[in-house]
Each structure stands twice: as C-alpha cells, then as structure tokens.
Amino acid sequence: MPGRDVCARCHADLPWQGLACGCCALPLPTTGICGHCLQQPSPLDAAHAAFDYSFPLDRLLPRLKFHADFACGRMLAQCMAERFAALPRPAAIVPVPLHPARLRRRGYDQALELAKPIARALALPLRGNLLQRDKPTSAQSRLHADARQRNLRDAFRVATLPDLPAHIALLDDVMTTGATLYAAAQALRNAGVARVDAWVCARVA
C-alpha cells in the first residue's frame, strides 16, 4: 500500500488492539474503564495503544529499542499514526525521554524515533525538549509493580517554557504497568498542563 512499509496482508495480521480501558488501555472484553482505574484515578485523561503486546510486536519493538532497527520503527510509527489520526488532537506530542546517561549508552531514544514520523504524518508539533528525565532510574522491566512506582518518583521534570501546551499526547513504545507514563503525566499536570493523553505502540495485558 502506498506510504506504508508493510503489505496489506501483514498489516491486517498485526495484533491491533480492540476493546480496552479508556484510561490505561488495558484490553477488556467490553468498552469501559477497568476496575483498577475506577479505584485509583490516573493522571492520564486517556490512554490509547495501537497494538496488543503479542507476536510479532514482542519481536519488533525490541528490535527498535535495543538494536537500532529504525526501518522497523518507521513501519510501527506509520501504523500508530494511522490508528491515532481520529483521536482528539493534542497541541503537541511529547516523547517520554530517556535519562541522559542511558541515552549516551544507547545512542538514540526509541520513543523519539517513533514520535518524529507520527508528528510529521499528523501535522502536530513535536516537543522533544519539554519533558526531561533527571533521575537515573533502574530498568523498569526488572522490577515488580510497586518497585516501578518507587523507581520513578520525581524522575521527570518539565522545562520552564512560556508556551506550555494545554493538551499533550505523551508518546512511548510499550505500556506495562503504566508507572512511567503516570510519573511523566503527573509532572506535566503539576506544571499546569490541562490534559495529558498517552499514545503507545503496544500495551501489555
């Protein structure tokens, strides 16, 4: 298909997310809000995932994240832009940043690599310098849910800028427990952002 780096059959076979919680994008059997979000309100106004984190996304996303497969990232970004095009338009897309030390080791930020083509495709401003990660946290994948929240306490800081967008779409590759996105969203809300949505490539069930 023109403008898409994947054939129509493979595109259709990807694990596109179906019904999910409107607050945390957790897959659900019916439309609505999951029990956890009803009991513990999220700093996110909404969360949207293009895919469920299952095959082949569980192979494709690590190729981008750990092996600099930017062609894979471009294909995933095209799919994300297609899925998110009809959502309420934010004033800016803000990728969830890496800590500078991790960025130096990896050499690139996978969330930013996804955000750049999505911002171009949807004609939205990309504000890659608005959110900063000051705390060198441990890898979230190695921690259980409670430890993930403690790990990210005060991890993010919002740059002092005169034109803070009122509505931001936080963009990341994978949402597992949501701890990273919640911490980033809380920092943005504390700085005065009125609405924060999460746009992620895949959601772990």
Side-chain angles (χ1 to χ4, degrees), residues 72-140:
C72 175
R74 182 178 64 186
M75 182 274 289
L76 293 173
Q78 290 167 356
C79 292
M80 292 171 71
E82 179 181 341
R83 175 54 67 100
F84 299 151
L87 295 177
R89 286 178 66 84
I93 292 177
V94 175
V96 174
L98 294 176
H99 184 268
R102 185 165 295 169
L103 180 60
R104 284 193 296 271
R105 288 195 299 271
R106 187 172 296 171
Y108 63 96
D109 183 336
Q110 74 277 0
L112 179 59
E113 294 303 320
L114 290 170
K116 288 188 289 189
I118 293 171
R120 286 195 298 269
L122 301 183
L124 289 168
L126 176 62
R127 301 290 294 273
N129 64 340
L130 192 149
L131 191 63
Q132 298 169 10
R133 195 165 188 153
D134 288 342
K135 182 180 173 183
T137 54
S138 302
Q140 288 287 93

Side-chain angles (χ1 to χ4, degrees), residues 11 26 31-32 38-39 41 52 73 78 90 92 104 106 123-124 132-133 140 148 158 163 170 180 204:
H11 179 270
L26 183 72
T31 302
L38 287 172
Q39 293 178 3
D52 293 327
Q78 290 167 356
R104 284 193 296 271
R106 187 172 296 171
L124 289 168
Q132 298 169 10
R133 195 165 188 153
Q140 288 287 93
R148 287 177 184 229
V158 177
D163 55 342
L170 267 175
T180 299
V204 176

Side-chain angles (χ1 to χ4, degrees), residues 5-165:
D5 293 351
V6 62
C7 72
R9 182 172 179 178
C10 290
H11 179 270
D13 286 342
L14 290 170
W16 297 94
Q17 186 172 77
L19 298 176
C21 174
C23 290
C24 72
L26 183 72
L28 293 177
T30 58
T31 302
I33 306 300
C34 73
H36 181 270
C37 289
L38 287 172
Q39 293 178 3
Q40 192 169 357
S42 165
L44 293 168
D45 289 277
H48 305 278
F51 301 105
D52 293 327
Y53 192 74
S54 59
F55 184 83
L57 266 292
D58 57 356
R59 303 293 189 271
L60 296 174
L61 276 172
R63 280 169 53 179
L64 168 64
K65 190 169 184 174
F66 301 115
H67 303 289
D69 189 339
F70 299 121
C72 175
R74 182 178 64 186
M75 182 274 289
L76 293 173
Q78 290 167 356
C79 292
M80 292 171 71
E82 179 181 341
R83 175 54 67 100
F84 299 151
L87 295 177
R89 286 178 66 84
I93 292 177
V94 175
V96 174
L98 294 176
H99 184 268
R102 185 165 295 169
L103 180 60
R104 284 193 296 271
R105 288 195 299 271
R106 187 172 296 171
Y108 63 96
D109 183 336
Q110 74 277 0
L112 179 59
E113 294 303 320
L114 290 170
K116 288 188 289 189
I118 293 171
R120 286 195 298 269
L122 301 183
L124 289 168
L126 176 62
R127 301 290 294 273
N129 64 340
L130 192 149
L131 191 63
Q132 298 169 10
R133 195 165 188 153
D134 288 342
K135 182 180 173 183
T137 54
S138 302
Q140 288 287 93
S141 58
R142 301 173 186 170
L143 305 173
H144 58 76
D146 290 341
R148 287 177 184 229
Q149 293 181 358
R150 292 194 300 270
N151 187 44
L152 288 159
R153 193 169 293 133
D154 300 322
F156 295 100
R157 175 173 58 85
V158 177
T160 303
L161 298 171
D163 55 342
L164 194 66

